[in-house]
Amino acid sequence: MNGNTSILLLSVGHACVDVYQGAVASLIPFFVAERAYTYAAASGIVLAASLLSSVAQPLFGALTDRRALPWLLPVSTVLGGLGIALSGLTGSYPLTLVFVAVSGIGVAAYHPESARIARIAGRGSHTAMSWFSLGGNLGFAAAPILVTAVVATGGLHHSPLLVIPALAGSVLCLPVLRALGRTGPDQADPSARSHPQATDNSSPSMGTHEGTDDKNSFVKLSLAVACRSIAFIGLSTFLAFYVRQRTGGGPAAGTAALAVLYLGGAVGTVLGGSLANRWDRVTTVRRSYLLSVVAVAGLVFVPGPAIYVFVALTSAGLYVPFSLHVTLGQDYLPSRVGTASGITLGLAVSIGGLVSPLLGGLADATSLRTALAPLILMPALSWLLFRKLPEPTPPTSLSAAPRPPVATQAARSPGSLG
């Protein structure tokens, strides 16, 4: 299997997982409508999905730094879908929280190992990682459409149908794992030869790359990722309600806004990889956060249909950095690629949910616009954190070493993702 095919399958599998991150926000209006939840109670569901995921994500990353766990990809994909599928079957609020939390754990388990395997298949390419990240963003984009198609027609008791993408994603990742498993760790990652203690001879591993960890830069990057996550999850949790208020539209207006938010992210992710090749990653991320400040302000304060323009700009601005965060984290922390991947790829999505109940409580006490206004500060803080960050040099093993069999054909092809 060539590198292009591996990245494509991993990207589609990523979409099948991240449907369930987008599904949480997409289900909120239906929980409110059928179960009369307050904003605070509804945002508690987002918290349930995020809390365990936020804790588990770095733990899974650290675990995969010690040993390759490729079986996590199919298992975690199914777990993520199963939790969401069951969440609509019970009227019990605590059980709903439990099922959504189970889905969050599945998503947390998926991201560190999948990012490691995508890095192997793409040979550390920014473009390859952007395509892998694009899959997740398309999953987000599909979530409101999928949830509305399933739940709006038959109510929350039709939610078991939402497990279908998980079943498909678990199957799609298997050919990639078999192909990488046949190469062996020494071929899949040349640096593993100099660090045999970090490899597992039975499965693909990134091993431990040469280079010195820049922990100070990684901490600043992680804080910027957290600020970006707070802005994005805060907006996605309440956007459907807010757009309906600002436009006077019905449920379709809110669903359309979520779709724009997630589809704009798909464009931003691909654009991020291209711009990073033209400038550099740090410059690209810094400029995108400046755009995001203006875009979020417009989303919060501009009324009427023009709000959709600012939703799209916000999405692009917040998603241009998405895949670049991952490769920057991996290069700032070359000895702990799994941990770096877990924090920058998975925690980037989940940690914002920890703040959502505060926004929900503020919205109940005041208004949605008052609750969303502080989110304008989040991309501004991310910009400040990126002002002094250096552009790291990727490990030489990803660019100088002979390409493994899984990527050989991609290197020869004019259309290679690398």
Side-chain angles (χ1 to χ4, degrees):
M1 180 183 295
N2 64 40
N4 279 345
T5 303
S6 295
I7 290 294
L8 176 62
L9 290 175
L10 288 170
S11 180
V12 176
H14 194 186
C16 292
V17 172
D18 278 6
V19 158
Y20 300 108
Q21 299 206 70
V24 177
S26 303
L27 283 167
I28 293 298
F30 296 101
F31 285 131
V32 171
E34 289 195 25
R35 301 177 183 176
Y37 291 160
T38 64
Y39 288 138
S43 59
I45 295 173
V46 179
L47 174 64
S50 303
L51 184 60
L52 285 178
S53 182
S54 298
V55 174
Q57 203 99 232
L59 295 179
F60 278 113
L63 185 63
T64 57
D65 278 330
R66 298 178 61 86
R67 180 181 178 84
L69 300 171
W71 56 267
L72 272 179
L73 269 65
V75 171
S76 61
T77 300
V78 171
L79 193 63
L82 192 61
I84 292 298
L86 295 175
S87 67
L89 292 183
T90 174
S92 165
Y93 185 71
L95 278 179
T96 300
L97 297 182
V98 169
F99 289 137
V100 172
V102 167
S103 178
I105 292 175
V107 171
Y110 174 85
H111 281 105
E113 185 69 358
S114 66
R116 287 158 60 91
I117 291 175
R119 188 169 165 94
I120 295 172
R123 301 303 295 168
S125 163
H126 307 328
T127 305
M129 186 60 75
S130 72
W131 282 102
F132 170 69
S133 300
L134 171 65
N137 298 336
L138 289 176
F140 258 105
I145 300 169
L146 179 65
V147 168
T148 299
V150 170
V151 179
T153 56
L156 287 170
H157 69 276
H158 279 187
S159 64
L161 293 174
L162 296 174
V163 79
I164 293 174
L167 299 178
S170 65
V171 172
L172 287 171
C173 69
L174 298 179
V176 179
L177 300 183
R178 283 196 294 266
L180 290 175
R182 283 194 296 268
T183 68
D186 287 353
Q187 291 173 297
D189 181 13
S191 67
R193 285 190 290 269
S194 61
H195 301 277
Q197 73 280 7
T199 67
D200 170 17
N201 290 332
S202 64
S203 52
S205 173
M206 283 298 298
T208 303
H209 292 299
E210 75 284 0
T212 303
D213 290 345
D214 184 351
K215 295 181 181 178
N216 183 55
S217 293
F218 184 76
V219 168
K220 290 180 181 178
L221 170 68
S222 300
L223 291 173
V225 165
C227 291
R228 181 258 179 210
S229 176
I230 291 169
F232 183 79
I233 299 299
L235 288 171
S236 63
T237 301
F238 299 107
L239 184 65
F241 297 112
Y242 190 62
V243 168
R244 289 169 64 179
Q245 287 182 7
R246 301 293 281 178
T247 64
T255 298
L258 279 176
V260 169
L261 182 70
Y262 298 153
L263 285 172
V267 174
T269 301
V270 174
L271 186 61
S274 177
L275 292 176
N277 290 329
R278 182 176 181 179
W279 299 326
D280 62 59
R281 289 171 291 180
V282 171
T283 300
T284 299
V285 172
R286 196 164 52 227
R287 291 175 179 176
S288 72
Y289 279 133
L290 278 179
L291 169 65
S292 299
V293 173
V294 177
V296 175
L299 188 160
V300 172
F301 292 111
V302 173
I307 194 172
Y308 288 100
V309 175
F310 288 100
V311 171
L313 290 174
T314 295
S315 181
L318 291 177
Y319 265 108
V320 163
F322 192 79
S323 66
L324 305 182
H325 286 157
V326 181
T327 59
L328 282 169
Q330 291 171 337
D331 292 343
Y332 285 140
L333 215 62
S335 72
R336 294 290 181 269
V337 170
T339 299
S341 301
I343 291 174
T344 54
L345 182 60
L347 200 61
V349 177
S350 61
I351 198 170
L354 304 182
V355 180
S356 290
L358 299 179
L359 297 177
L362 182 58
D364 285 330
T366 56
S367 68
L368 268 178
R369 185 167 73 171
T370 300
L372 295 180
L375 299 181
I376 300 169
L377 296 176
M378 295 297 103
L381 291 174
S382 294
W383 174 77
L384 286 173
L385 288 162
F386 260 84
R387 283 193 66 194
K388 301 296 183 182
L389 281 181
E391 176 71 22
T393 302
T396 56
S397 62
L398 289 172
S399 55
R403 292 181 179 268
V406 73
T408 299
Q409 184 61 37
R412 294 172 180 168
S413 171
S416 171
L417 291 172

